[in-house]
Amino acid sequence: MRTIAVVNQKGGCGKTITSINLSAFLAREQRRVLLVDMDPQGHATLGLLAEAGPPARTMYDLFLQRAAGQPAALRDVIRTVRDNLDVAPADILLSAIPDTLAGLVGRENILSDAIAGVRGSYDYVVVDCPPNVGLLTFNALKACSEAIVPMDPSFFSLHGIGKLLETFDVLAKETNHHIAARVLVTLYSGRSAFVKAVVDEIRRHLAGRHFDTVIRYSVKLAEAASHGVPIASYCTRCAGFEDYQALTAELLQQEAAFPRDGQPSAPALTSEGVMFSLQAFDAERVHLAGDFNDWSLDGSEMEPIGGVWKKVVKLPPGRYRYRYVIDGRWQRDPLNADIEPSAYGGDDSILVVDESVASEHSPASVYTESASD
Ligand SMILES: Nc1ncnc2c1ncn2[C@@H]1O[C@H](COP(=O)(O)OP(=O)(O)OP(=O)(O)O)[C@@H](O)[C@H]1O
Ligand SMILES: [Mg+2]
């Protein structure tokens, strides 16, 4: 399952239009998609559920439940929009959550925990963020391993983007949570030399951290959203349709680089051994260290394909501890919920290779202890 936050603290740069249309195109490509609306403005909800009337339960209820110490289930909130496309709606009440949850330990992990509960039901979770970096955006970032940063080509946008990328770095340093972020140029008019210069500047500055697709200004996108439908249900011969289709294709193309079911995953058994995989677009070197190789970095380098790093290791049945070492930083496997504190600080990931399972060589048959899908 890929988890993608659509995030930029700047307002009106196309986050919601991107969330709606990317989700809808992915669903058309037979991917199972959940769009989570984390913006109290509820624009993604309106843009997809306008006809359906106000939702009975929203993300507000989910957060509130958790604040009351009860388990919060995303399933209770989710509404089906059409085949392969569900939405977890939001409305203005969500704006009360940061104050209501002030001081609650673990409040930034609520969305991440909730999404873990639907892992297996979706191929993609897309999270539409509000235009600020507060508790709601932090929840989205902690829940996602990728980010799309829509950016309208203006001077102020260039200024803000540096700040946002810094936020990702802080998150990585303080919580060991890494996000592969890429900028998406939106609202592109292409007519003025200034706009062209800004786009050139973005590409120079963000080598490898931007999409090749550029979203042109297309009034049909705004019209479709105001009718509560994605662009494909409104017009198929317009720049908005072509551009979001191209963006989706660009995103799907990366799936080819993902080891299993198109995704990096917790360790999986292959006929060659146990396949470890990790997504880290910006890393220069990644090693796999564990008790099975005496935690040594010698010969434990992983191979990058796209932004996904892989290594296959032959392991006899047993229980193992391991970590990924990304450019010198030791971290647990973000896709494996089974962890144990290490004597040296932080957490190790735990992997159990089962005796019966090890002999079967079926791709999905190495179990982490609490695997839910
Ligand atoms: N490519 C586009 N062409 C024309 N209009 C667009 C395009 N993308 C977005 N818009 C319009 O621009 C406005 C802002 O877009 P959108 O709501 O997606 O931005 P946002 O970043 O989600 O805003 P906010 O920060 O308020 O949540 C909306 O009216 C939307 O319909
Ligand atoms: Mg929005």
Side-chain angles (χ1 to χ4, degrees), residues 12-273:
C13 56
K15 293 182 286 296
T16 302
I17 291 287
T18 298
S19 303
I20 290 174
N21 290 297
L22 177 63
S23 298
F25 270 112
L26 285 167
R28 273 167 67 102
E29 295 296 330
Q30 308 307 319
R31 302 304 190 277
R32 298 165 302 163
V33 184
L34 171 65
L35 169 51
V36 179
D37 192 350
M38 283 294 282
D39 184 357
Q41 296 179 101
H43 287 165
T45 304
L46 288 173
L48 284 174
L49 288 177
E51 300 270 288
R57 294 171 65 78
T58 65
M59 291 305 291
Y60 170 73
D61 299 292
L62 183 137
F63 275 84
L64 210 59
Q65 221 169 341
R66 182 46 221 279
Q70 295 157 3
L74 208 43
R75 283 184 211 289
D76 299 341
V77 173
I78 286 170
R79 296 269 298 267
T80 296
V81 178
R82 60 186 65 205
D83 278 357
N84 293 325
L85 179 57
D86 289 354
V87 61
D91 63 16
I92 189 67
L93 286 175
L94 191 59
S95 60
I97 286 300
D99 281 349
T100 308
L101 268 55
L104 181 76
V105 174
R107 62 191 180 283
E108 67 283 354
N109 294 322
I110 294 175
L111 181 61
S112 160
D113 293 346
I115 287 176
V118 295
R119 191 172 271 283
S121 301
Y122 296 101
D123 301 309
Y124 282 80
V125 176
V126 176
V127 185
D128 186 26
C129 294
N132 55 60
V133 184
L135 179 66
L136 298 173
T137 296
F138 241 70
N139 261 273
L141 294 180
K142 290 289 301 273
C144 292
S145 54
E146 296 174 63
I148 295 177
V149 182
M151 175 180 171
D152 59 311
S154 73
F155 169 73
F156 297 112
S157 308
L158 266 182
H159 179 80
I161 227 74
K163 283 240 165 312
L164 187 62
L165 296 178
E166 271 171 33
T167 308
F168 294 144
D169 290 343
V170 168
L171 194 72
K173 270 203 201 93
E174 291 187 355
T175 69
N176 235 346
H177 179 70
H178 295 262
I179 295 177
R182 277 180 301 161
V183 166
L184 171 70
V185 174
T186 56
L187 288 155
Y188 179 74
S189 69
R191 260 173 255 132
S192 82
F194 174 71
V195 163
K196 285 192 175 135
V198 170
V199 172
D200 284 349
E201 181 76 9
I202 292 168
R203 298 209 149 144
R204 215 178 18 254
H205 251 71
L206 299 170
R209 294 177 92 182
H210 64 78
F211 287 93
D212 292 335
T213 306
V214 165
I215 309 293
R216 287 167 287 177
Y217 184 91
S218 167
V219 74
K220 297 278 188 221
L221 286 167
E223 286 174 17
S226 73
H227 287 91
V229 292
I231 190 70
S233 306
Y234 186 71
C235 126
T236 52
R237 288 189 180 184
C238 56
F241 180 91
E242 285 170 16
D243 294 348
Y244 278 106
Q245 193 176 40
L247 174 68
T248 306
E250 204 179 333
L251 216 73
L252 290 176
Q253 223 171 25
Q254 299 158 358
E255 283 187 355
F258 284 63
R260 192 183 127 218
D261 295 342
Q263 321 295 340
S265 64
L269 199 67
T270 70
S271 52
E272 309 293 312

